[in-house]
Amino acid sequence: MALELKSKPKTKNKVNAAAPSKKTMNFSRHVSSFDLRKMAPYLIVIVIVLALFAKFGFIDQLSKKSDAYAQLADIQSQQEMLDLKLKDYPELEKQYGRYSYGWMSEDEVSLVDRMEVYSLIESKIMDAAVIEDFAINGNVITMNIRGITLIQASAVVKDLESSPMVDSAYVYSAEAENAEQAEMFMTVNLVKEAK
């Protein structure tokens, strides 16, 4: 059995396998020239974006910063003027302190507030009787009242003594032409409430 080398192998499908006819390959591509008409819209968009970025990113920030520095300089100049005006304040405070600090004595500090005393008289006595006159000396109120009976005067005294501001209340003398119209001399001792 001899092999024939010159014979072609038999294939079921006959494919035309032709070799390429081009002898060289070109790996470079064709570069077109710069066309301004095609690139103009892109360039305009890029310029607009850069302009907006520059305005909002830099220019506005620099203007805000310069405004803030201007306000700071204005405030500092105002402070310097105030410091000049107040330069003699410690001396003035020392002089003022001689007349204003500690102007109340210990006795005056222990006195009941006069506005509270007037409120007490108005709420407890004026509704029940007519006050002819009254005087406040220290923490003692002396008054002349009329237009109430002795029983009503006793009720006024009890009402006064129910107040935390009142230490004691006394009726010293009572005169009456009739029982309905007595005139009385009353003393009310006050005590200052601790606050």
Side-chain angles (χ1 to χ4, degrees), residues 6 47 65 71 95 121 140 142 169-170 191 194:
K6 293 184 183 179
V47 167
K65 186 177 178 180
Q71 287 177 349
Q95 283 181 325
I121 291 170
V140 177
T142 56
Y170 303 101
V191 63

Side-chain angles (χ1 to χ4, degrees), residues 90-113:
E91 179 67 28
L92 179 66
E93 183 183 26
K94 190 175 179 183
Q95 283 181 325
Y96 181 74
R98 281 189 223 148
Y99 304 106
S100 63
Y101 300 136
W103 58 275
M104 291 176 74
S105 67
E106 240 181 81
D107 294 334
E108 290 172 323
V109 170
S110 67
L111 294 177
V112 177
D113 182 18

Side-chain angles (χ1 to χ4, degrees), residues 124 155-170:
K124 303 283 185 184
V156 168
V157 168
K158 284 184 182 179
D159 193 24
L160 282 170
E161 288 179 341
S162 69
S163 172
M165 190 186 326
V166 176
D167 184 37
S168 60
Y170 303 101

Side-chain angles (χ1 to χ4, degrees), residues 14 25 46 63 69-70 92-93 95 117 147 164 181 187:
K14 293 202 172 191
M25 294 183 103
I46 290 172
S63 116
Y69 277 124
L92 179 66
E93 183 183 26
Q95 283 181 325
V117 172
Q181 300 296 319
T187 301

Side-chain angles (χ1 to χ4, degrees), residues 132 144-148 150 171 173-178 181-185:
E132 290 289 326
N144 290 313
I145 58 174
R146 67 176 172 84
I148 59 173
L150 292 175
V171 176
S173 64
E175 297 175 10
E177 291 176 10
N178 61 28
Q181 300 296 319
E183 288 187 23
M184 298 168 205
F185 179 74

